[in-house]
Amino acid sequence: MTTRAIIRGSGSALPQRCVTNAEMAQMVDTTDEWIIERTGIRQRYIAGEGETTSTLATEAARRALAAAGIEASKVDLIVLATATPDQTFPATATIVQHNLGCNGGIAFDVAAVCSGFLYALATADSMIRTGMAKCALVIGAETFSKILDWDDRTTCVLFGDGAGAIVLEAQDVDENDPKAPGVIASRLHADGAHNELLYVDGGVSTTGTIGKVRMKGREVFRHAVTNLANVLREVLETSGHDAAEIDWVVPHQANFRILDATARKLDLPAEKVVVTVDRHANTSAASVPLAFDVAVRDGRIKKGDLVMFEAMGGGFTWGASLARI
Ligand SMILES: CC(C)(COP(=O)(O)OP(=O)(O)OC[C@H]1O[C@@H](n2cnc3c(N)ncnc32)[C@H](O)[C@@H]1OP(=O)(O)O)[C@@H](O)C(=O)NCCC(=O)NCCS
């Protein structure tokens, strides 16, 4: 027997305001056709007054706990992935912990931008496997709209706000059973050589400002497909599973063409790829758990399914994780 982190439930939250491509075209020199053709995005949600990273994260966490049928008091670990925290410190995870009323356990943020959820998931999984925690909330939450340059059409049309969360619980399983539930294997990577391709041009210890997102989209695109295909193969190899066994891929929702090209590299049929980029745009660390929650709630992802999560983001950072639901 071995201890695994089992995914008990998921939840998500979006801001109230939905902004269509047509509305974006009134703000910058772009068109609905260009955005759809190049990215697959049709709309995004943008946080309004009173909606912050922690309020969205708290709502997503509450829904995940309700779906899992687990009381907040049982949560002894919160790992929250974000690049847009409420405050420079303390960690947004501690604000969520207090909102949920489960004070006293471990709570911290991870900063790996769009692959933040994969970093958070692998961290929580490791802590559960080693016995440091028994019940974890893994959250990806962003208000990326706050760091967008709303005059830069090459970036502002691509991103949105939102939050997604999952509940992980420790359970002893038979490690020789290929159908045993839980997180099976994860792999994470970073390559700091590409800072200038995707970054925010401000920060506490440099400019003293929050800064705005800057990106060389075409170069990011090329790296994304190669890195993602490689890390997916790595996780499959580590886990001993074959690509053909995967029931669902839940990729980071940056651009439909990236997720399509990555799936093709592994011969994964398009029907097995969960796509929400059309309705959420790129919500950075929130995108994978948001997409997962959509596919669980609409009945596509079911108990017993083998699910691959993957993401790539600024840093560069990238990672993948395979789990049996
Ligand atoms: C950003 C992205 C959609 C741009 O698509 P692309 O096909 O690479 O387009 P390019 O950047 O080469 O730009 C093509 C043209 O469209 C123009 N353009 C850029 N944004 C535009 C917009 N919103 N509306 C209309 N035209 C736009 C460019 O100025 C360029 O015009 P030019 O040829 O006259 O110079 C694409 O590169 C991408 O998705 N990259 C990955 C980004 C990503 O995933 N980032 C997050 C990772 S976590």
Side-chain angles (χ1 to χ4, degrees), residues 178-199:
K179 299 279 184 199
V183 179
I184 300 165
S186 303
R187 284 289 175 270
L188 303 173
H189 293 282
D191 180 355
H194 303 292
N195 186 305
E196 84 291 352
L197 296 184
L198 178 51
Y199 65 101

Side-chain angles (χ1 to χ4, degrees), residues 271-296:
E271 314 84 75
K272 289 188 173 184
V273 182
V274 177
V275 180
T276 53
V277 68
D278 52 336
R279 51 180 129 159
H280 300 151
N282 181 348
T283 57
S284 183
S287 93
V288 170
L290 251 171
F292 177 70
D293 189 50
V294 166
V296 167

Side-chain angles (χ1 to χ4, degrees), residues 28-32 34-35 37-39 41 113-115 144 152-159 197-198 215-222 224 252-258 282 284 311-314 316-317:
V28 286
D29 182 15
T30 191
T31 60
D32 182 39
W34 190 95
I35 301 172
E37 190 193 309
R38 302 290 175 123
T39 70
I41 297 165
V113 205
C114 296
S115 41
F144 233 68
D152 176 9
R153 69 174 183 173
T154 69
T155 52
C156 74
V157 302
L158 303 174
F159 296 91
L197 296 184
L198 178 51
M215 179 172 71
K216 297 200 170 79
R218 201 178 289 181
E219 279 96 319
V220 174
F221 193 108
R222 269 195 290 112
H252 171 47
Q253 310 284 322
N255 180 320
F256 177 74
R257 291 187 296 147
I258 295 179
N282 181 348
S284 183
M312 142 105 188
F316 291 141
T317 54

Side-chain angles (χ1 to χ4, degrees), residues 23-298:
E23 286 173 73
M24 293 300 302
Q26 288 168 6
M27 295 182 225
V28 286
D29 182 15
T30 191
T31 60
D32 182 39
E33 295 72 30
W34 190 95
I35 301 172
I36 292 174
E37 190 193 309
R38 302 290 175 123
T39 70
I41 297 165
R42 291 175 184 274
Q43 60 177 42
R44 72 285 294 140
Y45 291 83
I46 301 296
E49 211 173 310
E51 292 173 320
T52 66
T53 297
S54 72
T55 66
L56 294 167
T58 303
E59 203 174 323
R62 284 206 174 104
R63 289 179 182 158
L65 287 166
I70 289 176
E71 296 285 322
S73 58
K74 280 194 81 179
V75 174
D76 56 5
L77 168 66
I78 300 177
V79 189
L80 188 148
T82 191
T84 49
D86 281 22
Q87 295 163 272
T88 303
F89 81 79
T92 303
T94 63
I95 302 170
V96 173
Q97 186 206 51
H98 186 59
N99 289 345
L100 296 175
C102 54
N103 307 34
I106 307 164
F108 61 96
D109 290 358
V110 299
V113 205
C114 296
S115 41
F117 182 75
L118 272 299
Y119 269 68
L121 177 60
T123 304
D125 176 44
S126 304
M127 293 177 83
I128 284 178
R129 281 177 193 264
T130 55
M132 288 222 11
K134 294 248 173 297
C135 185
L137 268 168
V138 182
I139 306 170
E142 301 278 15
T143 43
F144 233 68
S145 60
K146 308 285 184 193
I147 52 167
L148 293 177
D149 177 349
W150 287 94
D151 293 324
D152 176 9
R153 69 174 183 173
T154 69
T155 52
C156 74
V157 302
L158 303 174
F159 296 91
D161 301 334
I166 60 168
V167 180
L168 294 178
E169 197 176 30
Q171 185 184 310
D172 287 339
V173 300
D174 176 1
E175 66 267 43
N176 298 315
D177 176 5
K179 299 279 184 199
V183 179
I184 300 165
S186 303
R187 284 289 175 270
L188 303 173
H189 293 282
D191 180 355
H194 303 292
N195 186 305
E196 84 291 352
L197 296 184
L198 178 51
Y199 65 101
V200 168
D201 63 2
V204 177
S205 74
T206 50
T207 59
T209 62
I210 295 168
K212 302 290 179 201
V213 174
R214 305 292 171 209
M215 179 172 71
K216 297 200 170 79
R218 201 178 289 181
E219 279 96 319
V220 174
F221 193 108
R222 269 195 290 112
H223 284 276
V225 177
T226 311
N227 289 343
L228 288 170
N230 288 343
V231 76
L232 288 176
R233 288 196 193 97
E234 210 184 328
V235 168
L236 284 170
E237 221 171 276
T238 313
S239 70
H241 286 279
D242 194 76
E245 292 174 69
I246 297 174
D247 295 300
W248 294 102
V249 182
V250 184
H252 171 47
Q253 310 284 322
N255 180 320
F256 177 74
R257 291 187 296 147
I258 295 179
L259 37 112
D260 189 50
T262 309
R264 277 172 203 271
K265 275 204 161 199
L266 274 103
D267 285 330
L268 291 162
E271 314 84 75
K272 289 188 173 184
V273 182
V274 177
V275 180
T276 53
V277 68
D278 52 336
R279 51 180 129 159
H280 300 151
N282 181 348
T283 57
S284 183
S287 93
V288 170
L290 251 171
F292 177 70
D293 189 50
V294 166
V296 167
R297 284 174 195 269
D298 69 20

